């Protein structure tokens, strides 16, 4: 009976612990604290480890540390591969592949096929995940037109993500402020500066310390 109680308690605490880990990763990523993200990746495993590495890759890329970004993405891919049959893991894996393409376009053929496969898996497993819609929005924004890129599609997918983020979430919940930010970038690209500013302001309403949205607002005022 005691063993059953302990196991049940751990099962109940697991989603909360995962949510806390992701919140801490987001906080370190917002500060672009690569050292802290590295520590968090070493202290975790599975999805949380991969997510810390993914955020570390983004921060390293922003800071022009391309080699470190690529190394982090390679490790994130390795951490996600054993759990790629889980919907949220497949979604994050698709985003990792997408960023690998962004860092080295010569790898587009290799990672493009893998990304498409991961997105298809996620579509089957978690079709209503806001992060799946967000990853599709980023892909639509970042891809050349002859590879499916489209600002209108980026807006449509990010809008879908924003709608889905309104559903209750107590586990893997990252990305809402990011969805507003990408939608704002797509609107800016289409000449809708007022719409872009409104979205970046909305991102800060979701996450008051979201540095990327703050930077974009300062840049456009």
């Amino acid at each position: 009976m005691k063993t059953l109680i302990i196991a049940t308690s751990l099962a109940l605490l697991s989603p909360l612990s995962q949510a806390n880990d992701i919140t801490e990763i987001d906080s370190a990523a917002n500060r672009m604290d690569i050292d802290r993200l590295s520590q968090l990746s070493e202290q975790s495993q599975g999805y949380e480890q991969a997510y810390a590495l993914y955020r570390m890759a983004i921060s390293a890329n922003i800071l022009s540390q391309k080699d470190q970004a690529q190394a982090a993405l390679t490790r994130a891919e390795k951490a996600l591969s054993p759990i790629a049959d889980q919907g949220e893991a497949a979604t994050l894996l698709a985003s990792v592949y997408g960023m690998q393409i962004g860092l080295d376009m010569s790898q587009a053929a290799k990672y493009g096929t893998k990304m498409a496969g991961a997105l298809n898996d996620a579509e089957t497993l978690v079709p209503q995940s806001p992060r799946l819609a967000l990853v599709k929005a980023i892909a639509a924004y970042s891809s050349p037109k002859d590879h499916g890129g489209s600002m209108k599609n980026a807006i449509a997918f990010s809008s879908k993500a924003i709608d889905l983020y309104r559903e209750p979430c107590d586990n893997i919940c990252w990305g809402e402020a990011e969805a507003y930010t990408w939608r704002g970038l797509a609107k800016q690209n289409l000449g809708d500066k007022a719409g872009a500013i409104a979205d970046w302001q909305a991102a800060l309403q979701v996450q008051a310390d979201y540095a990327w949205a703050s930077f974009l607002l300062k840049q456009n005022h």
Side-chain angles (χ1 to χ4, degrees):
M1 176 64 73
K2 185 176 181 180
T3 301
L4 178 61
I5 292 171
I6 293 172
T8 303
S9 299
L10 288 172
L12 290 171
L13 287 172
S14 180
L16 179 60
S17 175
Q18 186 175 39
N20 288 340
D21 289 343
I22 289 172
T23 298
E24 189 168 0
I25 291 166
D26 282 339
S27 178
N30 195 44
R31 302 190 306 271
M32 290 192 290
D33 188 342
I34 292 178
D35 289 340
R36 181 57 180 152
L37 288 168
S38 179
Q39 290 172 359
L40 290 167
S41 74
E42 297 296 337
Q43 294 168 6
S44 54
Q45 59 185 352
Y47 185 92
E48 292 84 356
Q49 181 183 47
Y51 183 59
L53 289 165
Y54 171 68
R55 289 300 180 192
M56 185 166 74
I58 293 174
S59 295
N61 187 44
I62 292 171
L63 296 172
S64 300
Q65 299 174 15
K66 185 177 178 180
D67 289 346
Q68 187 169 7
Q70 289 176 321
L73 289 172
T74 299
R75 290 177 60 203
E77 181 183 357
K78 184 177 180 180
L80 288 167
S81 293
I83 56 171
D85 58 347
Q86 300 172 18
E88 289 292 349
T91 302
L92 181 58
L93 184 57
S95 196
V96 167
Y97 289 143
M99 190 173 176
Q100 284 169 319
I101 295 170
L103 287 176
D104 184 357
M105 287 302 296
S106 70
Q107 299 296 308
K110 172 185 176 181
Y111 288 118
T113 301
K114 289 185 174 184
M115 182 179 182
L119 285 174
N120 286 336
D121 290 343
E123 192 72 59
T124 300
L125 295 164
V126 285
Q128 296 303 306
S129 167
R131 279 155 298 284
L132 175 57
L134 173 59
V135 171
K136 289 181 177 181
I138 296 170
Y141 181 93
S142 304
S143 300
K145 286 184 179 180
D146 57 353
H147 285 80
S150 164
M151 293 302 130
K152 289 183 178 179
N153 286 344
I155 290 171
F157 283 128
S158 53
S159 294
K160 179 180 179 180
I162 288 164
D163 288 340
L164 291 170
Y165 277 116
R166 296 191 177 104
E167 296 298 318
C169 179
D170 58 4
N171 191 1
I172 296 173
C173 305
W174 62 267
E176 185 175 4
E178 210 168 340
Y180 279 107
T181 305
W182 280 105
R183 189 172 72 174
L185 286 168
K187 287 180 179 179
Q188 181 188 48
N189 197 280
L190 292 176
D192 181 8
K193 183 175 180 180
I197 288 172
D199 273 341
W200 299 330
Q201 290 172 336
L204 292 177
Q205 290 176 0
V206 172
Q207 185 179 335
D209 64 345
Y210 192 51
W212 190 20
S214 294
F215 169 78
L216 289 167
L217 284 170
K218 289 176 183 176
Q219 193 179 51
N220 285 274
H221 274 297

